[in-house]
Amino acid sequence: MSKRNRLLNNPPKSLEEIYFSEIRPQLYKNHAHHHQYGVRKGTTLAEHLDSACQFILTVSRIAEVPEDKRPLLLAATAVHDLNKLDTKGRNVKTLARNQEFLREQLEKACVLSFVVSEADLELVRKLIERHSGHNVSDGARFLPEDPNIERWAAMLTAADLFDLGIPDAQRFRKLEKELTVAFGRSCNLFRISISEDKGYITALLLGACEEVLQKYGLNPLAIFPDGELFEGEALANIDLTKEIAAVWQSKIDQVFGNNIERLVRATKDGIKVTHQAIQQNIEEVLVNVEALLERKKAGYKSDKIAKDVTKWGEAAGADALIKAAELQLLPVSNAEEFAISEGLKAAYLSYREAGLSPKEVWDKIAHHTGISELQRTAIEPFNGQYGRPLFAAKAAVKGIEGIKEALQESFQLRKESTQISEETEVSEEMIAAVSRMVNLPFAIRLNGANDLNAYVEANPRQRCSLGSTSTDIDELISDNMPPGTKVQAFSNRLPGGISAEPKRQADSIAALAYQLIAVGANFPAVKKQDPLYLHLALPKGSAPELLRIWRGLLKQLAATNAEGGTVTIDELKLYRDNQLEFKANKVVGLALPKRPDFVHTSVIIPLVWGDVNNSLALLKSLRLALEISLSLDIGFPFVLSSNLEVELSNDVYGRIEGIPSALQTLLGNGQYQQRQDAEKILERLRCIGKLATSVASIQKADDCLYDLARACVRPIELYYVLLRWTLREQDEPNLSVIWSRICEPLNTLLESFMPDENLLLTKYLKEAAQVAAEGKIWGSSFKRTAQAEPFTAFIAAIRSQKSYLGLDVIFAALIQQYHTRLDRIREHGVGATKYEQVKRYYELLRKLYEEVYSARPEKFLSDQKTLEAAYLFFLEEARKQLKSQSEDNSVETTTTV
């Protein structure tokens, strides 16, 4: 396979950074194809060594091993299975005492630099020899030695056992036994796992679990795609669900607290403020409302407002209009008054959220804005939300200041009502969500029956568009739901239905999960597009330090766009050189997370590609996903899907959801069990990318890429697509130069597919091209049409074939006619030798016609363009081979002389 990328390019500082950037890639280079057997069946030696090294790094830090000894523990772990590294079948003890062999293996693993002295090498030898239960069998057992060696050997033993393919209960007992020795204290393992991954909200939940469990003395030991493993002396015998829910809620509030402008929105029904915004900063909310009112003022349109005034005035009645006019309750007539009316509407909506009746709301608004008692009574017939603000704006003598007072009071009422109900409503909902989403190592209340009943008994109009149907259902507009969320009730499309957009029902936690991604990802500042979601999960058993490095890398990549938008790649370098170079973009690319705590066991990265079809977006997303996932220093399992919620599996390295039928030949079934399966797909995509940039300009490379991907359904058609794009870009292309660019990636791609049905076809075409190259059987120039002349003559003969003429007659005439043609265009004519070459040429084409196409003209002619394109490229390959042989013979002759 082609050289793989690296993403960690900063100079490493800590031992962990050195391991992930330098040592780990070397382990996979050396041992990625060394498969294991027995209880480790299904994994490679590289994966085992990597798992052990990450484990030893974590355990040695928890155990506070001196910093000068930790590198030696890592060095011993990187080569601890010496018997698997030896080709002669010798045992560990023999190999550990062979200094030359030991040094050689340490150097191959890039850890020899840690072993400075003979004493260091001796320590590494002892640790390797004693791991996995090997006895101390040298003379050192009778001599005084560092008592820490026993603890360190136990750490290496535990690291070796960590990825055993046995049930967790058995494996954890073995680990606890070794770690008790390693830590010099009692050690118990506790695992938490998530039942569903909802993206950023799940990452915040796992962060809350980690924070609370560390408070009670547990240390993170390893991370899995579906949870995390902790160790500690004992777990407090209390239910921590409520405490975790509180920390989780505070983390969510902190996110929204920094994005109040997203929580204060101007809608067609008025300015709406969410509860999350009020809980964070009331003053900031008021600033945002005032800014939206200024925007409303700037967008004032007198004709539109006049229609609204007429509509709501007629609804109130003529008597109400006359009485209102007598009390100076006149409709809005300028931009300033329109802004005040929108402010009155915003205050009305906010008070209503606090639970007040319309009458109570307007009593409070009148008090704050200076509307008199008589005026307050006169506007009663008008609609409370839409009509009254339009006719009361002139009477609000305190203007914007009065409206701000009313808003502030309404916000305070809403905040107090939320605080009063926090224990009974908000916290209970969050506690239930924690119990449902994460499996904690203490008593959990299972509410599966309640969820099932909620689903069965739900009104059909209340079925969830997003998430599970439960008792906590929110009705939301499309802006607060993922793109493409289906609508359950189309009330606006039924007779008498409302004119507003159809509402979508969502489980409150699922809706909050999407809103967190909408706020927390660096989406482009353009109209919302349907993204694809790249789900990257840390490999099972990852060290917590890898999570820190991974978070730092994502933060560094996001900083590529200083304005906080998407980050894209240099497509020319990616397609032509297979290099990842990230750069800022305002429209397309990766919408990376804004905060590191949005990344935990996995991360969701929305991918936006602008105005392209779904298949091309999938190809571009998959190429990027594989380049990141298979980079030497990352190696993360992935899922690429149009869905926000997917199931991550420990048993599948990569998965693509929603592959169109036209791309299934290229991408397979979308399930990549092993790393090698994903590498095969990446190699195909790299070949297609290189082909696209070889025959098309970078501006049109995506269109060419898409055509090539679809042609893979029948790989022989790749030749036609490549020739068509070459002719589209150049009127008279130099096919020899083009072939030199595309032959290697094209042959690699074709070898990957190996279609049996095309074996005979390509065999005869290549042999005919070889005969043509040796006999120079072509037209009078090096133009494309002249080069293909003998083959197009064959096509023309088949097209004009008469039913009463047999193939013997047709091909005899074809041979004679083309021999005559060559005799006429050649300067010195041609003779019997050329006749035999032409005869041999058309005999091969006759075999092609009879054996591949069963002598059926319609079947053959449907492929004529594909065959002609393939023939031209085969002819260039044959010429290249003849030239190479000629040069070799010339070199041999010169050497002999």
Side-chain angles (χ1 to χ4, degrees), residues 280-347:
Q280 299 312 307
N281 190 330
I282 288 179
E283 293 302 323
E284 186 69 22
V285 172
L286 286 171
V287 170
N288 278 271
V289 172
E290 197 168 0
L292 290 176
L293 290 177
E294 287 296 321
R295 197 178 300 169
K296 290 277 188 183
K297 185 195 297 185
Y300 170 73
K301 294 179 181 177
S302 58
D303 53 343
K304 184 178 182 301
I305 300 305
K307 290 180 183 178
D308 289 342
V309 167
T310 303
K311 174 183 176 181
W312 298 110
E314 289 175 353
D319 292 340
L321 285 171
I322 294 169
K323 189 173 181 181
E326 290 173 355
L327 295 172
Q328 298 301 307
L329 292 170
L330 301 173
V332 167
S333 60
N334 57 51
E336 190 72 36
E337 291 171 0
F338 175 60
I340 292 173
S341 74
E342 287 294 311
L344 293 173
K345 193 188 294 184

Side-chain angles (χ1 to χ4, degrees), residues 27 63 77 86 170 175 185 212 250 255 281 306 364 476 492 561 570 587 626 634 637 644 793 829 834 867 870 895:
L27 293 180
T77 309
D86 181 45
Q170 298 177 31
L175 288 172
R185 58 167 170 79
V212 172
S250 70
V255 173
N281 190 330
K364 287 187 174 294
L476 301 171
N492 65 329
N561 193 333
D570 187 321
V587 181
L626 288 169
I634 294 297
L644 193 59
K834 187 65 68 180
L867 294 174
T895 305

Side-chain angles (χ1 to χ4, degrees), residues 614-615 618-619 622 640-641 655-672 681:
N614 293 336
S615 295
L618 179 67
L619 288 170
L622 180 58
L640 184 63
S641 173
R655 189 170 83 245
I656 314 169
E657 295 183 350
I659 299 179
S661 57
L663 300 182
Q664 285 181 356
T665 303
L666 173 67
L667 304 181
N669 62 4
Q671 296 271 353
Y672 310 129
I681 302 301

